[in-house]
Amino acid sequence: MIETKKEKQAGKVYLETYGCQMNEYDSELVKSILASSDYEVTTREDEADVILLNTCAIRENAHGKIYARLGDLKHLKNGDHRVIVGLLGCMAQNLRGNLERSDCVVDIYAGPDSYKRLPAMIDAVRRTGRKEFDFNLSEFEDYSDVYPKRVPGVNSWIAVMRGCDNFCTFCVVPYTRGRERSRSLDSVVKEAERLVAEGFKQVTLLGQNVNSYRSNGTDFADLMAAVANVEGLERVRFTSPHPKDFPEKFLKVMAENDKICNHVHLPLQAGSDRVLDMMARTYTKKSFVALVEKIRKMVPDVALTTDVIVGFPTETDAEFEETVEVMESVQFDSAFTFKYSERQNTIAYRKFPDDVSEAQKTERIVRLVELQKSHSLKRNRQQVGKVVKVLIEGPSRKNAADWMGRTDGNKIVIFENSGERDKEGQLINVEIKNATAHTLFGKRPAPHPNY
Ligand code: SAM
Ligand code: SF4
């Protein structure tokens, strides 16, 4: 008998992801969990039986987007085809109490540690018609027994640790994602090996506080060294680290290993010691700048990027000037700048009134964006004339006749696709000819005689 492709019986699931790379990774976990329970993952919302939104809670505008999207989905409850709607991730976890009482379109609420229960929760909604909730945070769940369902490509994410124990006073992550826990080094290395066998060229190790990774006596330096040793892998990246966990051992591993990209995302958050202390960041302006100097000394040509918050409660104009000062002195390659957004449950929410006006926050962020633009342009221009290694990611979004790739330092490079010669996932030399604050433009040097 000829075997025909088995129809997936449980239904079609459409999944949308909001927020950070960790959420992208979690969505890949969710797809895998549902696929192994006989669901088909579809990219077409109109044919879905189940629609899931994997949400973010980091700032209020992240919540705003989801409320608007839930409004769009209201019509799904009127037709004959009853679509089940699920809210997953940080926003679901963060608003748990309020959501349970709401009469919105959502049938299922599942926090970041509850994804294995999704098939059972969908079944329960189908059987009973009642809403399902699971907000249990686990000290152990690391999903290392779930192999994520990824879209084939050049880069793949691996979450090596989950949760955060730092409790920076502005941040909701410790409340939405729970306590810090790390996967075993072996399980991460095995996953990287499998990814290489599937054709991925780069892995990015993820964690809310990735460099505080600890497992069975191994630390983040051991983990990076072991992953970089995986044969066939071209590049290893990591994000986001906390400035408190940068021992020399790790910087040495970075410096000595060509496959570990020369890029460190080093979130500054603020330049004033008083504000840093109120944020519970555990470093000072001086120690942050000293760390930058140490990283630059040990890892030459390293690209440094950062996150900054303006308008933290009680931040004065003079204290904001200290943030400007640090940015002037470090000259980051790029920066994400945010207006402080008060988050329910956080220490800052309980202790410090959000007293910097919206107008002041706007004025400060505009200033930082302009300042960073000038620094990014300056640093990108330093690349002009150099021949750099670029990992080709795919066609440029603006012009499919061009390639888009990234340098070691994670800078985007656009260059002409000269026909058959190059392909996605290839690591090649590109000569940088021009630069804007966001992008480098290059040209493939003349073919190597051995090419
Ligand atoms: N773990 C990383 C660290 O220690 O810096 C940051 C991860 S957090 C998901 C990403 C960034 O969002 C933070 O670095 C911070 O700049 C920003 N962020 C977090 N909470 C915020 C808040 N309440 N308001 C504005 N920005 C916030
Ligand atoms: Fe949030 Fe701080 Fe943890 Fe980063 S280290 S996720 S900012 S609490």
Side-chain angles (χ1 to χ4, degrees), residues 371-395:
L371 180 71
Q372 184 52 48
K373 218 163 136 192
S374 70
H375 294 163
S376 298
L377 182 62
K378 194 166 152 194
R379 294 197 71 81
N380 282 356
R381 280 191 177 145
Q382 289 166 356
Q383 301 293 312
V384 175
K386 290 187 183 164
V387 174
V388 297
K389 283 260 182 267
V390 172
L391 182 63
I392 305 178
E393 291 191 3

Side-chain angles (χ1 to χ4, degrees), residues 58 163-174 180 208-209 240-242 244 267 269 279-281:
I58 200 83
C164 181
D165 288 347
N166 283 349
F167 289 92
C168 301
T169 58
F170 53 78
C171 185
V172 82
V173 168
E180 240 171 66
Q208 254 74 37
N209 195 14
S240 268
H242 189 290
K244 76 181 169 57
Q269 312 301 4
M279 288 177 163
R281 288 294 288 180

Side-chain angles (χ1 to χ4, degrees), residues 44-63:
R44 281 185 47 193
E45 183 188 332
D46 61 341
E47 63 172 27
D49 305 298
V50 180
I51 294 181
L52 301 176
L53 310 182
N54 190 5
T55 62
C56 170
I58 200 83
R59 283 168 292 276
E60 190 51 34
N61 55 7
H63 279 193

Side-chain angles (χ1 to χ4, degrees), residues 196-207:
V196 171
E198 287 173 10
F200 288 97
K201 301 292 177 190
Q202 172 178 289
V203 298
T204 305
L205 305 188
L206 293 181

Side-chain angles (χ1 to χ4, degrees), residues 18 53-56 62-71 87 91:
Y18 297 80
L53 310 182
N54 190 5
T55 62
C56 170
H63 279 193
K65 273 189 209 159
I66 302 294
Y67 284 129
R69 186 70 179 108
L70 291 177
L87 201 66
M91 177 176 167

